[in-house]
Amino acid sequence: SRHFTHLSLMYFSGVKREQRGNMFSTVFLTLIFSIIAEAGRGSIRQKDDKSPLTFFVSPSGSDSNDGTSRSTPFLTLSKATEEAITSGADKSGGSITLMEGRHIWEEADGIVDGLIGPSSENPFHIKADDIDTVVGEDVLLDGSDLLPPLSEWKEDQQGMFCTKSNFHPSKEVNELWFTGIESVTGGDNVLGIRAQHPNVLGGDRDSPEAWPVPSDPQERDYPLPGSMWDKSARLSNNGGETLGLIDCNEVVLSPPPFCFSPNYSLSGNRCTNGCQQITGKNLKSAAKECPLGLPDCPERYHEAFKSHPDPKNTNIDMNDCPSAFPSCDRNSQDTWPWCLDLHNVGYVSDPKSEMDYNPSSGSNPGEIYVTACVDKKLLGPFPIVAHDTEQGKIYFNYTNFAVNRDKPAKQTSLWEGMTSCWKYDADKIEEITGGKVKTDWFRMEQEPKYKVVSRAVFDNTLEWWHDGPGEELCVRVDDPSLGVRVKQRGSMLRLQGSENVKVSGLKLFATEFQAESKNAIGFSNTFDKMMVEYPGEIQLNPAAVINSVFQYGKGMIKTTGPVSDSNGKPTRCVFMNNLVEYGEMGVELTDCAGGDITHNTIHHIYNGDAFEIYKHGCDCDGCEWDHEKCMFEVAFNRIYDVGFNGHCDCSGFQTKFGVVKEMQLHHNWVYSLPYHKGIRLDTGENGANIYENVIWNTAKGATFKGGTIEGHKIVQNTAFGSKDVDFSVVEFEYGTGSTTPWKPYNTKSIVYNNAVDDWRDSGNRKCTEPVCVESPGYALKKPKLKNPWIDRWERCEKNGPIPCHNDWKEMGYWLQEFNKKTQTWVDTGVEVDDPGCQSGSLGKYNSLNYGTCTESKSDWITSGSWPQVHEMLRDVANYDFRPKQHGKLVGKGKGGAHFFNSKDIGAYEAEATGLHYNIPGHVETSASSPVPPNGSFDVFMDADLMFMGGLNAKKHLIFLSTSFCDVATGESKKQQELPSPSNIYTPNNSFEIGLTYYWRVDTVRNDNTVEKGPVWCFDVAESSVQHKSTLSWNLRTNKSSCTTMNIEDHCRSCKDDSSFRFDGDPAKTCEWVKAKKTEKRCKQTDNNNKLVKESCPLTCTNCPDDNDDNDDNECKDDESFMLNGDPKKTCGWIKNKPKNRCKKIDENTGIVVAESCPVACNNCPEI
């Protein structure tokens, strides 16, 4: 009727009264038929109507609605997608708006299948309500279920609560959260811990207790010993302290024979000898019977195999790979692959174990994690299948570790990589033992450790256990007011075979979004302004991600370039302005036709690379190289605190397979990676432009391979404070165990104007040599050209002269290398007239400072007399990496090597005052990332104030005062306007020693709207202690108390009611009122018949006049107070060190300071 009335009025408005009667029936019937015809499509729309489509989805909607209005929304995204496609989304475009609320559809209901927008410039939009004004924090895709309050659970014993049958979780719970506990990033949930032994200390990665404040301001953030992310809790360390694992006597595995192709040329499949007595301590005997009920056991196989008598003899039966387990026939559909579970059983021997992990009624015995093959990795989880308590043997099934069920011929982690159990082949063992041992080596850890996850060890607060789908879930808590939510859904948003689609403004909890192409459809999809908490692995094949936040992820964020079934070249990958924090893994980009990887912040990642960039999509058949379209832009990223799992062959930026070709790698900060390299350009021949990066406090600052087809241009970088080497520009592949030993590098590279301390890679460079050398043959003997490539090269004598022959500059030796995989000779990219790596003479154009340099004292004094880099920069502690004015880095570089007007060395120019200071990372809507950092405790008197500008900024307004309230409430005068992109403010006067300063930066956008910035603060140092800082501040230790200031507690007596909950909803506090639609919400009345503005007067600007009589009784510091008449020693000065200063007596008044400064001295009377 609504449509009919609207159309009737439009039609009849221009018709005379006498004509309307005859026409009415005709029009009415026409409209009725139109409505009937359109009924199946859910909306009335003319066939040639090209106006944008509009659909709505609501948690309270129904898929039987037409979905075209807020009053008739759909329930699921898949239904809205279906209707959009039917209605011509590819021509008309339009949007699907997800309305406010908690969406809990199942995985299939969130599939966007076949949706195509008009174009990449005019995509079809799936968006949160009000995304144009506010990021849709009120639109939630929730992969968890919030269970009833604990008061409704069964309390089996003190502190242990179990679900009742009417609300057992219907699906297996693998993640659980306790609500009502603040997370490390300020959320309202923290992960629970599955019941385990030994107990986890401090919680998981999202718990503030898991991240204690470091004792030293320069010490990196490190998880609490015994927490889930603590290295000692996951690895054995062979003798080091281990809080999270248990020592055991041995770990025994019993793998089936492993077939492999040996390097020697013999026909037939070769076999290992299986496993005789596989254990760290090589026990001489073992039990011959299995525990009751266990179908198979490792002892049975100790007699099944003998040492390999002759691995090179093809006539030996063992070399034919006989089936050790006849019941496991890969060709039998009746037994494969479930039969594998019978033949991959190992045990942990721990006679001291007092637990019993045998299955009991209604529960499973749990899982075990072990350090089996090496101590670098904790393997698991493996299901426990039995526990022989008399012998202390916990038996477990490791089939998934040993065999790939879906692809049995594919190797698994048992056989692969640095943590492989099978380390060497028979030839190697025979060589090592002089022919005495003719068998492959199945290695095991010498001091193995383990931990168990089981209901049997349900003994610690915030632990939980689930018996299985539809079964009982139990938690143990000290506070029964906490809520519980459990993960119950998979990926709730999936673009599938869709194109030209933009998704924006959604918040996801315990779920993730995905994108996958099919049938050559999948171009130009974008995810924008997404807030994703606790996701699993995210795969975008392909899709762009911009302006989004990812917290507490369990898997990697993967994006690829190819579109499935498309003959065109892969697409360009885009990952821009995102924040990834406190996740298990980082970001992987593969096979992209170039990419934009800019303005991202990645920090607190458990292990692996922050960014892996592999394989170049422009290197495809029929593809032409286009610099603008194909080059990777990797810039303005901030990576820190990555890697908590000990040694890892990983990096902040890791590249492989040609992606560095013409890559622009610049303006990045990479730091606090003590087990990782900062930048590693690996496995290729191409060259990149590497400039204006700052790298410090890593295992190795940067390693640059490649540089033979095109040379690297390594200019204007700063690197210092790393463990091994700060910059390594290698001339060949140093590692003889590498897949490409002796591969030549950097024969066309240039290296100038870098502020770097150590250029020696693991002792391979002498400190009297140039920072890079002109030829791969510099430190090698003359090659034996008749020998195979691997045997052709030999280093010069260790204590002899280098170079050690006159022909070392000859490039003709390096034109080709032998590829072992293809058994062919391939070009290396080196040409006979290559100039070699150019860096100037030693000590000129690049700084260098080695901790030990004994090769030649006279040469060192002459050419290496550089101070350490941190001494030549303005304020390393507070992230000001500009050279000291008039210092050694100023004007000493090579002119014309880069874009700088000056010849300064390093990533920044000294005279940048009033211009722009690069601060990389995730750009927020308001100004952020202040320099000096918020809460800094030792800022110089002459410091500049710098910041990262807000998004879409036209200019920024600077406010500065020693009064927090003046800055926070806007009562302080604006100090200066800085037109964007200027971000350096130099105060007219120096800061005063001992005072605390507050400052704020407001962002004026291009549309003249103003985004008010947060209030930052810092203390001015009383001494030059900063000169002792060799690394940057960790942002936590010694943080000034000024950061605790807030308007509610320090500037007004009027406060919001902290207990307020609108209509009893725990999420709708005064902060909820302030976040969005504040004016409207303040006028509402809650279910207590009280106006919201009365409960939230501060938020709703409903405070009484600040000059009320009550102010007379308010506890305040005396604004006129000056200790002993010194104008610098105000109450603000007192509060910086109140412990001693508050006890002093003013010489002029005889009054104790605590009485004049009661707030600063915490001396206010209790009310």
Side-chain angles (χ1 to χ4, degrees):
S1 60
R2 175 171 56 83
H3 293 287
F4 168 73
T5 303
H6 176 64
L7 291 172
S8 296
L9 290 174
M10 288 179 61
Y11 186 85
F12 288 115
S13 61
V15 180
K16 295 180 180 180
R17 179 184 294 271
E18 58 268 22
Q19 296 175 308
R20 294 178 185 172
N22 295 330
M23 297 174 65
F24 180 83
S25 58
T26 302
V27 173
F28 179 79
L29 289 174
T30 301
L31 289 170
I32 289 296
F33 287 131
S34 175
I35 291 170
I36 292 173
E38 295 289 338
R41 294 179 58 173
S43 63
I44 300 174
R45 186 176 178 86
Q46 296 298 319
K47 191 172 184 180
D48 58 350
D49 188 355
K50 296 297 191 295
S51 61
L53 302 169
T54 302
F55 295 98
F56 295 88
V57 176
S58 170
S60 59
S62 169
D63 282 351
S64 61
N65 289 338
D66 65 16
T68 60
S69 71
R70 292 180 178 276
S71 59
T72 59
F74 293 126
L75 176 64
T76 66
L77 181 58
S78 60
K79 178 62 177 177
T81 299
E82 178 186 327
E83 291 300 315
I85 295 171
T86 304
S87 301
D90 58 334
K91 300 291 191 302
S92 301
S95 63
I96 297 172
T97 298
L98 272 61
M99 297 171 64
E100 182 176 330
R102 176 173 170 262
H103 298 259
I104 54 172
W105 58 60
E106 293 299 324
E107 191 167 355
D109 296 325
I111 295 177
V112 178
D113 191 357
L115 179 62
I116 301 176
S119 67
S120 58
E121 294 77 19
N122 179 26
F124 194 92
H125 201 175
I126 300 172
K127 62 178 183 175
D129 223 347
D130 291 334
I131 184 57
D132 295 332
T133 56
V134 181
V135 174
E137 68 271 10
D138 291 331
V139 179
L140 173 66
L141 305 189
D142 194 350
S144 71
D145 284 345
L146 184 63
L147 299 182
L150 290 177
S151 59
E152 300 181 21
W153 296 37
K154 298 181 298 181
E155 188 170 5
D156 289 356
Q157 51 184 281
Q158 186 66 35
M160 182 183 286
F161 298 83
C162 297
T163 55
K164 295 179 181 178
S165 58
N166 59 325
F167 58 86
H168 291 330
S170 60
K171 299 178 182 177
E172 182 77 40
V173 174
N174 52 43
E175 280 187 289
L176 177 147
W177 296 265
F178 292 100
T179 65
I181 304 176
E182 186 174 353
S183 71
V184 70
T185 57
D188 192 39
N189 306 276
V190 297
L191 283 161
I193 305 297
R194 289 186 73 195
Q196 55 189 270
H197 180 61
N199 287 328
V200 170
L201 306 178
D204 212 323
R205 58 193 180 275
D206 61 347
S207 171
E209 294 184 13
W211 299 98
V213 177
S215 59
D216 189 298
Q218 297 182 83
E219 183 183 348
R220 79 133 9 156
D221 217 5
Y222 200 85
L224 180 76
S227 66
M228 286 294 286
W229 265 21
D230 170 42
K231 177 173 178 277
S232 72
R234 305 287 283 263
L235 306 177
S236 72
N237 295 328
N238 279 339
E241 182 182 17
T242 306
L243 296 178
L245 299 175
I246 309 166
D247 296 317
C248 62
N249 286 9
E250 71 271 337
V251 174
V252 177
L253 302 181
S254 57
F258 169 47
C259 295
F260 70 104
S261 299
N263 290 330
Y264 43 82
S265 301
L266 291 175
S267 60
N269 291 327
R270 311 288 288 182
C271 271
T272 67
N273 65 310
C275 167
Q276 302 169 74
Q277 180 67 52
I278 300 173
T279 174
K281 295 188 177 181
N282 196 26
L283 295 180
K284 297 290 175 101
S285 61
K288 295 182 179 180
E289 295 182 0
C290 299
L292 182 64
L294 187 65
D296 219 335
C297 61
E299 288 87 344
R300 187 169 296 173
Y301 305 125
H302 294 163
E303 298 178 331
F305 299 100
K306 298 178 180 179
S307 295
H308 207 305
D310 188 354
K312 293 186 178 182
N313 186 347
T314 56
N315 295 321
I316 299 293
D317 290 341
M318 293 185 78
N319 285 335
D320 293 331
C321 289
S323 174
F325 313 106
S327 60
C328 269
D329 183 355
R330 292 183 185 178
N331 298 315
S332 171
Q333 296 181 355
D334 296 329
T335 61
W336 183 268
W338 65 263
C339 63
L340 294 171
D341 290 338
L342 306 180
H343 305 300
N344 290 280
V345 177
Y347 67 74
V348 166
S349 177
D350 182 11
K352 295 180 292 184
S353 174
E354 298 178 357
M355 302 290 179
D356 185 354
Y357 301 114
N358 280 306
S360 58
S361 176
S363 67
N364 63 66
E367 301 166 344
I368 191 169
Y369 293 77
V370 298
T371 56
C373 305
V374 291
D375 67 350
K376 290 183 173 66
K377 191 172 184 179
L378 186 66
L379 305 176
F382 305 126
I384 296 173
V385 294
H387 186 181
D388 185 337
T389 55
E390 290 186 5
Q391 295 190 70
K393 293 182 178 180
I394 305 169
Y395 293 87
F396 58 90
N397 182 315
Y398 63 99
T399 299
N400 290 338
F401 177 56
V403 181
N404 187 321
R405 292 169 176 266
D406 299 322
K407 298 178 181 178
K410 187 175 181 180
Q411 292 187 3
T412 62
S413 52
L414 180 67
W415 317 108
E416 290 183 312
M418 295 180 64
T419 58
S420 168
C421 293
W422 220 274
K423 187 60 178 176
Y424 297 115
D425 63 21
D427 284 351
K428 189 70 175 179
I429 295 297
E430 186 174 357
E431 176 185 336
I432 292 173
T433 61
K436 295 181 180 179
V437 178
K438 298 178 180 180
T439 180
D440 290 357
W441 175 29
F442 193 97
R443 64 174 179 174
M444 297 295 289
E445 189 192 350
Q446 297 300 306
E447 298 180 10
K449 301 181 186 295
Y450 74 100
K451 74 174 182 179
V452 169
V453 178
S454 172
R455 183 167 187 157
V457 292
F458 203 167
D459 60 352
N460 199 32
T461 185
L462 300 187
E463 284 190 338
W464 60 273
W465 187 260
H466 188 211
D467 286 334
E471 299 294 328
E472 189 175 72
L473 168 73
C474 296
V475 300
R476 185 179 287 277
V477 296
D478 293 333
D479 181 3
S481 69
L482 298 178
V484 176
R485 59 197 305 174
V486 294
K487 182 174 175 63
Q488 290 288 275
R489 282 170 284 282
S491 300
M492 293 179 66
L493 175 56
R494 183 184 301 273
L495 301 185
Q496 188 171 284
S498 295
E499 194 161 283
N500 301 329
V501 175
K502 180 179 180 181
V503 182
S504 59
L506 305 178
K507 182 175 181 179
L508 286 74
F509 184 92
T511 185
E512 54 281 322
F513 57 83
Q514 313 279 358
E516 56 187 52
S517 58
K518 67 176 184 179
N519 301 326
I521 298 174
F523 293 94
S524 301
N525 295 318
T526 301
F527 292 90
D528 182 19
K529 299 178 185 173
M530 307 292 283
M531 175 68 194
V532 189
E533 298 178 310
Y534 303 97
E537 183 171 281
I538 295 174
Q539 296 194 15
L540 307 171
N541 303 321
V545 185
I546 59 176
N547 306 319
S548 298
V549 177
F550 302 86
Q551 294 177 331
Y552 313 125
K554 289 186 67 176
M556 186 174 284
I557 302 172
K558 295 183 176 182
T559 181
T560 61
V563 172
S564 177
D565 303 319
S566 170
N567 292 325
K569 69 180 181 181
T571 61
R572 188 172 182 83
C573 293
V574 176
F575 196 84
M576 296 174 59
N577 199 36
N578 302 300
L579 169 62
V580 183
E581 59 183 353
Y582 294 96
E584 291 279 346
M585 306 174 78
V587 181
E588 178 184 278
L589 301 99
T590 56
D591 215 2
C592 303
D596 297 296
I597 306 163
T598 62
H599 289 291
N600 301 290
T601 295
I602 297 184
H603 70 96
H604 289 85
I605 302 299
Y606 176 67
N607 212 27
D609 301 309
F611 277 109
E612 297 179 5
I613 312 173
Y614 292 173
K615 298 176 66 177
H616 208 304
C618 286
D619 292 338
C620 57
D621 293 338
C623 295
E624 294 184 4
W625 182 267
D626 182 314
H627 171 74
E628 293 300 324
K629 295 180 179 179
C630 290
M631 69 91 178
F632 278 87
E633 184 87 6
V634 184
F636 304 104
N637 300 289
R638 187 169 187 167
I639 297 173
Y640 64 97
D641 286 339
V642 174
F644 298 94
N645 193 25
H647 171 76
C648 177
D649 194 19
C650 310
S651 308
F653 293 106
Q654 171 77 55
T655 71
K656 282 187 178 180
F657 310 127
V659 297
V660 300
K661 184 176 182 179
E662 300 182 18
M663 174 183 283
Q664 307 298 305
L665 181 63
H666 60 96
H667 293 97
N668 301 287
W669 285 1
V670 186
Y671 58 101
S672 293
L673 279 63
Y675 306 117
H676 286 42
K677 301 173 182 67
I679 296 174
R680 186 183 186 188
L681 307 187
D682 201 7
T683 318
E685 296 81 32
N686 299 102
N689 289 341
I690 303 124
Y691 56 94
E692 297 182 62
N693 302 286
V694 187
I695 307 171
W696 70 99
N697 193 20
T698 66
K700 284 188 177 182
T703 300
F704 302 108
K705 301 179 184 180
T708 56
I709 295 178
E710 313 94 23
H712 293 305
K713 184 178 181 181
I714 305 169
V715 293
Q716 306 292 166
N717 299 284
T718 297
F720 60 96
S722 291
K723 289 183 179 180
D724 183 356
V725 60
D726 295 307
F727 262 28
S728 175
V729 187
V730 296
E731 70 272 27
F732 64 84
E733 181 65 59
Y734 290 157
T736 55
S738 164
T739 55
T740 57
W742 310 109
K743 184 182 180 74
Y745 297 128
N746 291 303
T747 58
K748 296 183 177 72
S749 298
I750 63 170
V751 184
Y752 289 115
N753 301 354
N754 299 286
V756 174
D757 282 332
D758 193 340
W759 297 81
R760 296 184 296 182
D761 191 335
S762 303
N764 287 297
R765 284 271 66 82
K766 289 188 175 183
C767 55
T768 52
E769 299 169 356
V771 298
C772 69
V773 297
E774 293 184 24
S775 168
Y778 175 80
L780 301 177
K781 295 180 180 179
K782 199 165 185 176
K784 303 171 184 176
L785 296 178
K786 294 183 179 180
N787 288 359
W789 178 265
I790 188 66
D791 299 323
R792 183 174 295 182
W793 311 103
E794 187 177 349
R795 295 179 187 272
C796 297
E797 298 298 333
K798 185 174 182 180
N799 297 319
I802 294 177
C804 54
H805 64 95
N806 294 329
D807 209 17
W808 64 275
K809 289 187 179 182
E810 174 58 49
M811 293 293 179
Y813 300 146
W814 300 95
L815 304 184
Q816 288 188 321
E817 64 172 327
F818 189 72
N819 187 302
K820 292 188 292 185
K821 289 185 177 181
T822 62
Q823 297 290 298
T824 59
W825 287 86
V826 295
D827 291 339
T828 62
V830 178
E831 297 174 288
V832 292
D833 56 352
D834 279 356
C837 188
Q838 302 296 303
S839 62
S841 58
L842 176 65
K844 189 175 182 180
Y845 303 138
N846 298 285
S847 79
L848 67 164
N849 183 293
Y850 300 118
T852 58
C853 181
T854 59
E855 285 91 345
S856 173
K857 186 175 181 180
S858 60
D859 285 345
W860 179 241
I861 294 173
T862 301
S863 59
S865 55
W866 288 89
Q868 289 182 294
V869 167
H870 72 86
E871 296 175 2
M872 297 186 286
L873 305 180
R874 290 198 191 183
D875 190 357
V876 165
N878 286 305
Y879 297 83
D880 187 347
F881 302 113
R882 294 175 297 175
K884 289 180 179 177
Q885 291 179 330
H886 314 299
K888 285 206 65 174
L889 296 175
V890 178
K892 301 295 179 63
K894 182 179 178 63
H898 190 51
F899 310 123
F900 285 180
N901 293 323
S902 68
K903 294 182 181 180
D904 295 351
I905 291 177
Y908 295 90
E909 291 183 275
E911 298 296 335
T913 304
L915 300 176
H916 179 76
Y917 179 77
N918 171 55
I919 302 174
H922 175 65
V923 183
E924 301 180 15
T925 55
S926 61
S928 60
S929 301
V931 173
N934 186 30
S936 179
F937 58 92
D938 59 354
V939 173
F940 286 140
M941 294 172 58
D942 61 350
D944 289 335
L945 303 183
M946 301 177 286
F947 56 91
M948 182 189 291
L951 275 175
N952 303 317
K954 179 168 68 175
K955 62 182 178 180
H956 292 92
L957 312 179
I958 314 297
F959 301 85
L960 174 68
S961 174
T962 55
S963 167
F964 167 80
C965 295
D966 285 354
V967 173
T969 60
E971 295 178 9
S972 65
K973 293 182 179 179
K974 177 184 65 181
Q975 303 293 316
Q976 188 172 341
E977 289 187 6
L978 295 177
S980 187
S982 295
N983 67 341
I984 304 175
Y985 170 55
T986 303
N988 294 327
N989 300 310
S990 297
F991 299 120
E992 294 187 33
I993 290 176
L995 292 186
T996 297
Y997 287 82
Y998 300 89
W999 60 302
R1000 193 183 87 216
V1001 179
D1002 291 352
T1003 302
V1004 181
R1005 298 196 185 96
N1006 293 324
D1007 60 2
N1008 289 321
T1009 58
V1010 179
E1011 177 84 13
K1012 186 177 179 180
V1015 177
W1016 300 316
C1017 63
F1018 57 86
D1019 297 338
V1020 182
E1022 294 197 44
S1023 65
S1024 58
V1025 64
Q1026 297 165 307
H1027 290 292
K1028 300 176 183 177
S1029 298
T1030 60
L1031 299 172
S1032 57
W1033 178 42
N1034 60 29
L1035 307 183
R1036 301 189 66 199
T1037 309
N1038 296 344
K1039 192 171 189 175
S1040 172
S1041 60
C1042 66
T1043 58
T1044 63
M1045 299 289 285
N1046 60 77
I1047 293 178
E1048 291 82 355
D1049 294 334
H1050 299 92
C1051 304
R1052 294 187 180 186
S1053 57
C1054 175
K1055 300 179 181 179
D1056 288 339
D1057 181 358
S1058 61
S1059 65
F1060 170 74
R1061 303 290 186 272
F1062 183 73
D1063 288 345
D1065 188 332
K1068 296 184 176 180
T1069 62
C1070 289
E1071 286 296 317
W1072 170 79
V1073 176
K1074 180 165 55 176
K1076 184 178 176 183
K1077 302 177 183 176
T1078 303
E1079 184 177 355
K1080 177 181 177 182
R1081 291 174 177 176
C1082 286
K1083 295 176 181 179
Q1084 294 179 328
T1085 302
D1086 71 4
N1087 54 14
N1088 292 322
N1089 293 321
K1090 187 176 180 180
L1091 284 170
V1092 170
K1093 66 180 181 180
E1094 296 178 17
S1095 299
C1096 307
L1098 188 63
T1099 291
C1100 298
T1101 60
N1102 192 43
C1103 292
D1105 193 335
D1106 287 341
N1107 295 320
D1108 283 351
D1109 294 338
N1110 291 335
D1111 284 358
D1112 295 337
N1113 299 320
E1114 186 178 357
C1115 179
K1116 296 180 180 178
D1117 287 340
D1118 183 354
E1119 294 182 1
S1120 64
F1121 171 78
M1122 293 181 288
L1123 180 63
N1124 302 331
D1126 188 336
K1128 296 180 181 179
K1129 296 182 178 180
T1130 64
C1131 288
W1133 176 81
I1134 295 294
K1135 75 173 183 179
N1136 290 323
K1137 294 185 178 180
K1139 185 176 181 181
N1140 295 321
R1141 294 174 178 173
C1142 288
K1143 299 176 184 178
K1144 295 180 180 291
I1145 298 176
D1146 189 283
E1147 295 175 356
N1148 297 326
T1149 63
I1151 298 175
V1152 176
V1153 169
E1155 296 182 20
S1156 298
C1157 305
V1159 175
C1161 296
N1162 195 23
N1163 193 40
C1164 291
E1166 294 185 5
I1167 300 176

